[in-house]
Amino acid sequence: QVHLVESGGGLVQPGGSLRLSCAASGSIHTIRVMGWYRQAPGKQRELVATITEGGSIVYGDSAQDRFTLSRDAAKNTVYLQMNRLSPENTAVYYCNAWTNVLNDKHDWWGQGTQVTVSS
């Protein structure tokens, strides 16, 4: 079992910045990939960014070169720094961890944190 706790969402004006955090607990050693997805109203959930246990980062189109994913391995935490936010970035942001133990694969999700970009 992996438990994910997100923080850092909120209301921000266009052009502003936010940093989301996701702390993992439980069977940390089974996590192979960790990262962020988002879901805007009426839209499908989409990839924002992920990082593998080896440190390789993949950004989705939604990151738009304005988001940066980082990790503090000692704290079992990943961060999503979001700069120059626009209303199109408004969504619920979900932390995700993908685990694989002896080919038993599982997706774990946080509860989501709302990001609203509005003036």
Side-chain angles (χ1 to χ4, degrees):
Q1 293 256 349
V2 172
H3 187 53
L4 304 171
V5 178
E6 302 126 330
S7 60
L11 173 64
V12 62
Q13 292 188 341
S17 298
L18 280 176
R19 190 177 81 153
L20 306 182
S21 301
C22 175
S25 60
S27 300
I28 303 298
H29 65 284
T30 66
I31 296 176
R32 302 295 175 250
V33 183
M34 196 167 168
W36 293 92
Y37 290 74
R38 73 182 188 185
Q39 188 166 18
K43 295 187 177 181
Q44 289 188 331
R45 191 170 297 189
E46 61 180 352
L47 169 69
V48 180
T50 59
I51 184 168
T52 68
E53 58 181 335
S56 297
I57 296 176
V58 172
Y59 290 100
D61 291 341
S62 60
Q64 301 172 310
D65 296 325
R66 288 179 282 174
F67 295 176
T68 303
L69 184 69
S70 62
R71 176 177 65 188
D72 186 332
K75 296 181 179 180
N76 301 314
T77 299
V78 294
Y79 303 97
L80 184 68
Q81 178 66 43
M82 305 186 293
N83 298 325
R84 293 183 284 129
L85 287 162
S86 65
E88 291 72 27
N89 300 128
T90 295
V92 179
Y93 285 70
Y94 295 93
C95 183
N96 170 266
W98 183 80
T99 61
N100 187 354
V101 181
L102 299 176
N103 216 31
D104 179 18
K105 304 168 186 176
H106 194 90
D107 268 313
W108 305 90
W109 295 94
Q111 79 283 1
T113 185
Q114 177 70 46
V115 172
T116 302
V117 185
S118 175
S119 55

